[in-house]
Amino acid sequence: MKLLVIGSGGREHAIAKKLLDSPEVTTVYAAPGNAGMRRDGIDTISIAISQHDELIHFAKSNEIIYTFVGPDDALAAGIVDAFEFAGLPVFGPTQAAAELEWSKDYAKYIMNKYDIPTADHKTFSDFDAAVTYIEAKGAPIVIKADGLALGKGVVVAETVVDAIDFTRDVLTNNKFGKSRVIVEEFLVGEEFSLFAFVKGDRFYMMPTAQDHKRAYDNDKGPNTGGMGAYSPVPHIAQSVVDTAIETIIRPVVAGMVKEGRPYTGILYAGLIITADGPKVIEFNARFGDPETQVILPRLTSDFAVNMLDLLSDKVPSFTWLTSGVTLGVVVAATGYPGDYEKGVALPEKTTGDITTYYAGVVENDALTLVTNGGRVYLLETTADTVSSAQDIIYQTLAAQDTTGLFYRTDIGDKAHV
């Protein structure tokens, strides 16, 4: 099989690498991919994710068996619809189904209609009305721009002033090009990520994972796309996971069928365990980054065949590691998620028990990898315990020259609490 992965980040590196592990696969192309992927034998092609016609032509010309779509913006732009219209097998939700992610207001509509537990909330397009509501509710409070905003469209406001300032940025200053905000109650509890492979009314669960969104240790600093993750989450009881599957995953999958928007692809539920049970913080219509880099290494079945079976309406046979933990730490450019320098030389690729997944990198004239984005690479390993996985990763990072880069030193610490 020859396969195509759409995207260029660490998530897509992990997807493409896992697909290429299959003995049934000869070639995996990534469009546009990144220079680091080529170190793992992935073929990158210089076609942007927005160039649907060119991607379709490539898939037809190269006899691609199926295409796996990674990024949220590609899904929101209807890339799956374009491939399906061209008669090409593609794994990912349609533009209408992906509205679960690209419109937070639509996601709330689905949750309200199908009794899926989530935070109390209200949507506003009028700034003054939003301010009145925020002042009445008080802080802390959560404000979300309605739509994709590269992970920067949400603020957990510690004060009413901060909440109003962010709301003004969205509704008055047009900072994100969005015209609505969702104002939510601030929920207290342990967060975790739950992922499922979905095809219509059928779904198949993956191991739990826990992401670390804040830039710095002890969950300080601004929100990012994610600074590290581990899987599974040992301190979250299976009973909680089972409850989440029955009250969240099953009704949303069935609900999308009833809405006439049957879902195919990865369904991500960002959840929080409250005193009233698990509730939804957000849905994403694709794999998370960096959760993908710690979940897929735990898959012991043939990922490429599993995906083909799903697309062919066969029952896939997913098998997973049942012991140990997989942990990954993101190394980012100093200044991320704000302004950061590009062109910083990277350490040599790791070998042995540690896998390197690349994201914001390019090759310079000397064919050396240098930084070209905020999140640069992730180191991942699997070990018997969270502590032993931390030791392996952090000893390796301590030995690397990370000048111009930074990383959190507490990924996985919540497992010890």
Side-chain angles (χ1 to χ4, degrees):
M1 293 193 290
K2 291 192 288 184
L3 307 176
L4 173 62
V5 174
I6 306 296
S8 61
R11 165 184 50 216
E12 288 77 32
H13 187 170
I15 292 166
K17 179 176 169 59
K18 194 67 175 180
L19 291 170
L20 193 55
D21 284 346
S22 169
E24 304 296 324
V25 172
T26 55
T27 309
V28 175
Y29 299 97
N34 67 60
M37 292 185 187
R38 294 197 289 270
R39 266 68 171 171
D40 279 328
I42 298 156
D43 288 24
T44 60
I45 55 172
S46 55
I47 304 175
I49 63 174
S50 58
Q51 295 177 292
H52 295 179
D53 290 344
E54 290 86 344
L55 289 166
I56 287 165
H57 176 73
F58 179 88
K60 287 181 174 179
S61 301
N62 289 274
E63 299 178 329
I64 298 298
I65 298 298
Y66 63 82
T67 297
F68 194 116
V69 183
D72 47 7
D73 46 354
L75 295 167
I79 190 170
V80 167
D81 308 68
F83 269 70
E84 288 183 345
F85 185 76
L88 294 173
V90 57
F91 189 73
T94 60
Q95 186 179 45
E99 193 170 359
L100 263 181
E101 176 170 10
W102 60 260
S103 171
K104 294 177 176 64
D105 185 61
Y106 179 74
K108 292 296 189 186
Y109 159 79
I110 290 292
M111 287 185 265
N112 293 340
K113 184 171 181 178
Y114 295 100
D115 296 321
I116 296 166
T118 188
D120 287 339
H121 58 274
K122 195 166 183 180
T123 299
F124 295 92
S125 54
D126 180 80
F127 174 68
D128 291 333
V131 168
T132 300
Y133 183 81
I134 291 165
E135 288 176 338
K137 290 294 183 181
I141 196 164
V142 180
I143 317 293
K144 298 178 176 179
D146 182 34
L148 301 178
L150 299 174
K152 299 179 177 67
V154 177
V155 67
V156 179
E158 302 289 346
T159 67
V160 167
V161 171
D162 288 345
I164 292 171
D165 285 347
F166 184 79
T167 303
R168 182 183 293 108
D169 277 346
V170 178
L171 297 182
T172 305
N173 300 336
N174 199 37
K175 184 174 180 179
F176 301 103
K178 313 300 180 189
S179 58
R180 295 188 296 189
V181 294
I182 294 87
V183 182
E184 286 189 6
E185 70 169 320
F186 173 72
L187 296 176
V188 177
E190 185 87 356
E191 294 184 27
F192 71 104
S193 304
L194 204 54
F195 291 86
F197 297 103
V198 182
K199 180 65 161 64
D201 60 355
R202 296 179 293 122
F203 63 90
Y204 306 87
M205 300 307 302
M206 304 182 211
T208 56
Q210 191 168 65
D211 187 12
H212 299 64
K213 286 293 188 189
R214 297 295 185 118
Y216 310 126
D217 285 6
N218 302 313
D219 291 331
K220 303 295 185 185
N223 265 336
T224 70
M227 294 299 295
Y230 62 101
S231 174
V233 188
H235 56 288
I236 293 181
Q238 187 59 44
S239 59
V240 172
V241 176
D242 292 342
T243 298
I245 292 169
E246 293 306 316
T247 63
I248 295 167
I249 303 297
R250 192 177 302 281
V252 76
V253 169
M256 293 303 284
V257 173
K258 290 176 184 174
E259 294 294 311
R261 306 185 187 201
Y263 195 100
T264 291
I266 306 294
L267 177 65
Y268 161 97
L271 307 180
I272 186 166
I273 306 169
T274 73
D276 300 319
K279 293 187 177 184
V280 178
I281 298 171
E282 65 175 350
F283 284 121
N284 287 341
R286 37 75 191 181
F287 262 129
D289 184 343
E291 294 101 326
T292 314
Q293 296 94 303
V294 297
I295 289 175
L296 283 184
R298 301 193 64 78
L299 183 68
T300 53
S301 52
D302 189 315
F303 185 42
V305 172
N306 289 156
M307 294 297 95
L308 184 61
D309 286 346
L310 262 184
L311 287 170
S312 307
D313 287 320
K314 297 176 182 175
V315 176
S317 178
F318 291 105
T319 58
W320 302 90
L321 286 175
T322 55
S323 62
V325 66
T326 305
L327 184 137
V329 177
V330 169
V331 179
T334 301
Y336 172 78
D339 294 335
Y340 51 83
E341 184 182 350
K342 297 182 179 181
V344 176
L346 299 189
E348 287 297 311
K349 187 175 186 293
T350 53
T351 57
D353 294 335
I354 296 179
T355 301
T356 305
Y357 295 108
Y358 289 105
V361 301
V362 293
E363 282 181 338
N364 63 13
D365 292 341
L367 302 182
T368 299
L369 287 181
V370 298
T371 61
N372 190 50
R375 289 186 295 173
V376 181
Y377 63 96
L378 174 145
L379 297 189
E380 169 268 312
T381 196
T382 297
D384 290 339
T385 65
V386 173
S387 294
S388 52
Q390 288 176 312
D391 289 345
I392 293 167
I393 295 294
Y394 285 122
Q395 286 173 17
T396 299
L397 283 169
Q400 290 185 347
D401 180 2
T402 53
T403 304
L405 305 165
F406 79 101
Y407 54 89
R408 283 182 57 159
T409 64
D410 63 346
I411 303 300
D413 276 4
K414 289 177 184 176
H416 307 313
V417 175

